[in-house]
């Protein structure tokens, strides 16, 4: 992508009353002036107006035909989102109008922006670091209060400030080691004893380790708590999924083995996102395709944090006894909830069933009649191991950040080991430099290749 081009894009979703087109680049104002006629007796062209002002008028075709009445927002370099001259055209939300304006802008010298190109320019122009830029995409995709708080904190620089403080401490530690090397011939000079260096390294390790371990929480909050729905064929798993989602997501049939692959969807309950996974019914079968689906069921059960074991209440004890050897070994360190389904067809079964994990919860429901579903939803919220987050909590949600922090943690562990074993200072200094490099990767300090930047920003929506 040529960063010298003036770019334009539709920045709003289709179907709204208002549609916004964004323009950024050195010719953004001049190009918009060519298609915009301001209203009023003594209209000023956009190039003569002050920044942060709005102008009302018309967008016209070359022959003078009016395309739309619009409002123009004006932002001048360097005080704009991208750091360049920017214009925002607020039109009526008709897709025809927006496309007409886009075509007109392109004919006058703009280029259609690529995914994330506005935010990429903001990064390249120093308006935000790379972790803040990535948080923009997370903010747009946020679907709960927790994901919104995490993205907003990162976008406002909370994560960057923490990394900056870490780098300062690492640089201090590195400088002490380098001085020790520079003056190694003067044994009478001591810049810091090894115990002080070990204390500093230990403090740094504690912070990096905390950020690495926060990824498990961040991943759950961002992608939803995985909840596997398992059980025998025709126990009512697909009916339960449809009831929880309040839509006909899965096919429901009396024929055994209808569900042959996993079906996933998310639901937000009390601000927590749950990712429900309907799996193939577990039974002995000679059907090759069905057996593949059953194998995937066990795989998804291993990945889940909560397992909903749906049991047909008309033959509950027999089903539990038959499937326990296959299901229970996969439920260690997970929350197991046994759902005695079809309570409308059978009398209640005693909730105390032998041989189950200590934390197992049993609940009687009817997925078809939707009885007990509210109790199930309340129970899911209760057992979900999601901490209360504030706007100041630092939680890692980005895989790229997690990988860089994990490498930095390995580096600082080598530093600690080197200090404890009295390793030569030049080897310790090299590990410190590696740690600094991996932290710098997160905010973009060491990233210069178009390939890496392109891989990050291609995941953004057009217009951002």
């Amino acid at each position: 992508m040529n960063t010298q081009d003036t770019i334009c894009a539709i920045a709003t979703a289709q179907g709204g009353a208002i549609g916004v087109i964004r323009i950024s680049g050195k010719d953004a104002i001049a190009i918009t002036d060519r298609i915009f006629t301001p209203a009023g007796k003594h209209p000023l062209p956009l190039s003569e107006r002050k920044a942060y002002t709005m102008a009302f008028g018309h967008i016209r075709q070359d022959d003078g035909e009016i395309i739309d009445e619009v409002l123009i927002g004006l932002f001048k370099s360097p005080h704009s989102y991208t750091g360049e001259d920017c214009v925002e055209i607020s039109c009526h939300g008709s897709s025809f109008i927006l496309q007409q304006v886009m075509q007109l802008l392109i004919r006058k010298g703009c280029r259609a922006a690529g995914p994330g190109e506005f935010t990429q320019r903001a990064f390249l122009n120093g308006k935000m670091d790379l972790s803040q830029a990535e948080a923009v995409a997370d903010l747009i995709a946020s679907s709960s209060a927790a994901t919104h708080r995490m993205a907003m904190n990162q976008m406002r620089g909370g994560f960057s400030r923490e990394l900056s403080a870490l780098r300062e401490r690492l640089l201090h530690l590195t400088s002490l080691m380098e001085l020790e090397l520079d003056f190694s011939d003067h044994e009478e000079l001591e810049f810091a004893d090894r115990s002080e260096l070990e204390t500093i390294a230990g403090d740094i390790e504690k912070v990096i380790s905390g950020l690495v371990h926060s990824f498990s929480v961040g991943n759950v909050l961002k992608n939803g708590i995985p909840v596997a729905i398992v059980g025998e064929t025709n126990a009512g798993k697909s009916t339960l999924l449809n009831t929880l989602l309040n839509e006909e997501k899965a096919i429901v049939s009396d024929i055994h083995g209808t569900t042959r692959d996993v079906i996933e969807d998310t639901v937000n309950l009390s601000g927590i996102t749950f990712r429900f996974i309907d799996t193939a019914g577990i039974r002995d079968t000679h059907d090759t395709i069905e057996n593949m689906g059953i194998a995937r069921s066990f795989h998804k059960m291993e990945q889940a944090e909560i397992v909903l074991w749906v049991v047909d209440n008309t033959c509950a004890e027999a089903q539990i006894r038959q499937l326990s050897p296959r299901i229970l070994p996969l439920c260690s360190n997970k929350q197991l909830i046994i759902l005695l389904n079809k309570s409308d067809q059978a009398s209640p079964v005693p909730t105390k069933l032998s041989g189950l994990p200590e934390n197992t919860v049993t609940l009687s429901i009817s997925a078809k009649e939707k009885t007990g579903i509210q109790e199930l939803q309340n129970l899911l919220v209760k057992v979900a191991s999601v901490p209360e987050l504030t706007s100041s909590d630092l939680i890692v949600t980005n895989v790229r950040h997690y990988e860089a922090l994990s490498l930095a943690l390995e580096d600082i562990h080598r530093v600690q080991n080197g200090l404890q074993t009295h390793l030569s200072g030049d080897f310790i200094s090299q590990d410190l430099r590696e740690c600094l490099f991996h932290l710098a990767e997160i905010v973009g300090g060491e990233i210069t290749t178009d390939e890496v930047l392109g891989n990050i920003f291609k995941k953004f929506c057009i217009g951002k």
Side-chain angles (χ1 to χ4, degrees):
M1 292 183 185
N2 188 344
T3 57
Q4 300 303 311
D5 293 342
T6 297
I7 56 174
C8 62
I10 300 170
T12 47
Q14 187 174 351
I18 300 296
V20 175
I21 293 175
R22 308 179 82 183
I23 310 160
S24 182
K26 59 184 177 62
D27 297 323
I29 297 173
I31 290 174
T32 309
D33 257 333
R34 295 173 198 161
I35 67 171
F36 175 65
T37 304
K41 292 183 179 179
H42 304 288
L44 281 175
L46 297 175
S47 56
E48 296 179 21
R49 293 174 183 258
K50 293 181 179 180
Y52 311 115
T53 57
M54 302 288 289
F56 172 72
H58 299 94
I59 299 290
R60 295 178 182 270
Q61 293 279 19
D62 293 334
D63 60 5
E65 180 185 358
I66 294 174
I67 297 177
D68 197 15
E69 283 187 343
V70 300
L71 277 173
I72 302 284
L74 199 60
F75 308 88
K76 295 188 178 180
S77 174
H79 305 296
S80 71
Y81 180 76
T82 61
E84 305 170 330
D85 285 348
C86 287
V87 174
E88 291 190 356
I89 305 175
S90 297
C91 313
H92 289 92
S94 159
S95 58
F96 173 78
I97 290 173
L98 292 167
Q99 290 301 328
Q100 288 290 300
V101 176
M102 281 290 294
Q103 291 171 22
L104 190 55
L105 286 167
I106 291 169
R107 287 202 303 272
K108 297 301 181 181
C110 283
R111 169 174 64 79
E117 193 170 358
F118 288 89
T119 305
Q120 183 174 348
R121 289 191 177 196
F123 163 68
L124 294 172
N125 292 326
K127 302 300 290 185
M128 58 180 72
D129 65 37
L130 201 53
S131 70
Q132 290 173 296
E134 289 169 303
V136 173
D138 287 342
L139 187 65
I140 293 170
S142 62
S143 58
S144 67
T147 53
H148 173 264
R149 287 194 196 100
M150 289 189 299
M152 184 59 73
N153 184 23
Q154 185 174 325
M155 196 177 78
R156 295 175 67 184
F159 188 36
S160 302
R161 285 191 293 274
E162 183 71 16
L163 292 177
S164 178
L166 266 177
R167 294 194 71 200
E168 285 296 320
R169 300 206 70 182
L170 276 166
L171 286 169
H172 175 62
L173 184 54
T174 304
S175 65
L176 291 174
M177 293 302 305
E178 299 286 354
L179 281 171
E180 187 178 284
L181 288 171
D182 289 342
F183 292 93
S184 57
D185 294 336
H186 300 269
E187 296 181 2
E188 71 279 5
L189 294 177
E190 187 178 81
F191 297 96
D193 60 30
R194 288 288 169 126
S195 62
E196 181 185 348
L197 296 176
E198 286 178 25
T199 300
I200 297 172
D203 292 342
I204 294 169
E205 189 274 342
K206 185 177 180 180
V207 176
I208 297 177
S209 181
L211 291 171
V212 169
H213 292 146
S214 75
F215 180 71
S216 59
V217 174
N219 193 44
V220 162
L221 291 173
K222 187 175 181 179
N223 299 312
I225 297 173
V227 182
I229 305 174
V230 302
E232 274 199 21
T233 56
N234 276 20
K237 300 183 302 300
S238 296
T239 304
L240 176 62
L241 178 70
N242 290 341
T243 300
L244 289 167
L245 300 179
N246 200 28
E247 66 171 294
E248 297 299 313
K249 184 81 174 182
I251 296 173
V252 175
S253 169
D254 292 332
I255 302 172
H256 288 269
T258 304
T259 303
R260 297 188 170 208
D261 204 350
V262 296
I263 301 172
E264 299 187 26
D265 211 336
T266 58
V267 171
N268 191 293
L269 302 175
S270 299
I272 302 172
T273 301
F274 292 88
R275 190 170 79 253
F276 291 105
I277 309 160
D278 181 24
T279 63
I282 301 169
R283 65 167 179 163
D284 294 324
T285 176
H286 297 294
D287 188 306
T288 303
I289 302 299
E290 191 177 348
N291 275 322
M292 290 174 65
I294 293 169
R296 291 185 181 183
S297 298
F298 290 120
H299 179 63
K300 288 297 181 180
M301 203 185 311
E302 290 176 341
Q303 295 179 334
E305 290 198 10
I306 300 173
V307 175
L308 300 182
W309 182 359
V310 183
V311 177
D312 187 336
N313 199 24
T314 62
C315 51
E317 292 191 23
Q319 282 196 6
I320 292 172
R321 188 166 50 251
Q322 183 177 354
L323 291 186
S324 286
R326 304 179 73 179
I327 290 179
L328 296 185
L330 299 176
C331 293
S332 58
N333 302 320
K334 303 180 190 299
Q335 175 62 62
L336 174 62
I337 300 175
I338 295 180
L339 299 176
L340 302 173
N341 191 29
K342 305 182 183 180
S343 61
D344 55 312
Q345 299 179 22
S347 55
V349 173
T351 56
K352 185 62 178 177
L353 300 166
S354 60
L356 301 174
E358 191 174 335
N359 68 336
T360 302
V361 180
T362 306
L363 188 65
S364 181
I365 68 166
S366 171
K368 183 178 180 181
E369 300 298 327
K370 300 184 180 181
T371 57
I373 299 301
Q374 184 62 56
E375 289 82 353
L376 172 59
Q377 292 173 337
N378 294 340
L379 179 59
L380 287 168
V381 172
K382 181 180 177 181
V383 301
S385 54
V386 178
E388 286 290 329
L389 296 181
T390 67
S391 58
S392 60
D393 287 324
L394 291 179
I395 303 292
V396 175
T397 62
N398 187 299
V399 174
R400 190 181 70 83
H401 300 172
Y402 171 72
E403 291 175 347
L405 285 165
S406 296
L407 292 171
L409 186 60
E410 292 177 10
D411 297 329
I412 202 66
H413 282 160
R414 286 197 298 272
V415 169
Q416 288 178 298
N417 185 61
L419 289 170
Q420 291 166 4
T421 58
H422 302 283
L423 190 67
S424 173
D426 51 353
F427 291 111
I428 298 174
S429 292
Q430 179 59 36
D431 288 329
L432 285 168
R433 283 191 289 270
E434 288 291 321
C435 189
L436 281 165
F437 171 79
H438 289 127
L439 292 181
E441 275 190 318
I442 296 172
V443 295
E446 304 291 338
I447 293 180
T448 56
T449 66
D450 290 338
E451 182 181 358
V452 174
L453 291 178
N455 186 55
I456 290 169
F457 289 104
K458 72 181 181 182
K459 301 170 187 175
F460 280 57
C461 54
I462 301 292
K464 198 62 180 177

